[in-house]
């Protein structure tokens, strides 16, 4: 497993209940800001094995990216159970629900954190 993949798994596992992160945000915190599609791949292939809270990851527009109705509804329901509300057009308010890692939370090293800001 690559260091990037390990970091992505760690970040996703630490997203608190009731919060969301975007694919690109996770990629940036993991050290590769342009690797949002890689985050999608990791989620798709490793969510079950690593028991990831995959439902807390959305796209940069604040929307659920899953296309098929069953998966979309499963993610929507899981978020609603955690009190994350979707707007009329299915958008999640990133100002309210997006998790941003603070300096005190050990997701990445202090040096990596400052490089991404």
């Amino acid at each position: 497993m690559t260091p990037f993949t390990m970091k992505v798994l760690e970040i996703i596992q630490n997203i608190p209940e009731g919060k969301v992160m975007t694919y690109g945000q996770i990629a940036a915190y993991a050290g590769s800001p342009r690797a949002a599609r890689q985050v999608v791949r990791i989620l798709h292939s490793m969510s079950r094995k690593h028991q990831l809270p995959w439902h807390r990851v959305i796209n940069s527009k604040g929307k659920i990216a899953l296309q098929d109705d069953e998966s979309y509804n499963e993610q929507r329901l899981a978020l609603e159970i955690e009190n994350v509300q979707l707007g009329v057009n299915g958008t999640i308010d990133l100002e309210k629900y997006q998790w941003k890692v603070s300096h005190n939370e050990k997701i990445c090293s202090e040096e990596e954190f400052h490089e991404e800001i």
Side-chain angles (χ1 to χ4, degrees):
M1 187 179 312
T2 68
F4 176 79
T5 299
M6 289 187 296
K7 185 67 78 176
V8 166
L9 293 174
E10 179 185 359
I11 292 165
I12 295 169
Q13 288 169 334
N14 284 287
I15 302 171
E17 186 174 313
K19 294 293 184 181
V20 298
M21 290 183 84
T22 68
Y23 300 104
Q25 180 188 11
I26 293 166
Y29 277 117
S32 190
R34 297 176 61 160
R37 288 186 180 173
Q38 186 70 1
V39 173
V40 173
R41 185 198 64 75
I42 292 166
L43 269 174
H44 179 73
S45 65
M46 299 184 171
S47 285
R48 280 200 178 113
K49 179 179 179 182
H50 294 277
Q51 299 178 340
L52 299 176
W54 60 270
H55 61 282
R56 297 178 187 151
V57 184
I58 59 174
N59 71 22
S60 62
K61 295 176 183 173
K63 293 191 168 202
I64 293 172
L66 298 171
Q67 299 297 313
D68 71 278
D69 287 342
E70 185 178 340
S71 297
Y72 175 91
N73 287 327
E74 182 181 355
Q75 186 171 7
R76 180 186 53 79
L77 180 61
L79 288 169
E80 288 175 348
I81 288 170
E82 295 183 0
N83 294 314
V84 175
Q85 298 183 3
L86 279 72
V88 176
N89 60 354
T91 303
I92 296 165
D93 182 354
L94 292 176
E95 290 292 319
K96 183 174 183 179
Y97 296 108
Q98 187 173 31
W99 183 52
K100 296 176 181 152
V101 179
S102 72
H103 289 284
N104 299 332
E105 294 169 294
K106 183 68 174 141
I107 295 297
C108 54
S109 71
E110 182 108 352
E111 182 180 281
E112 292 169 326
F113 183 82
H114 289 295
E115 287 174 5
E116 296 178 37
I117 296 178

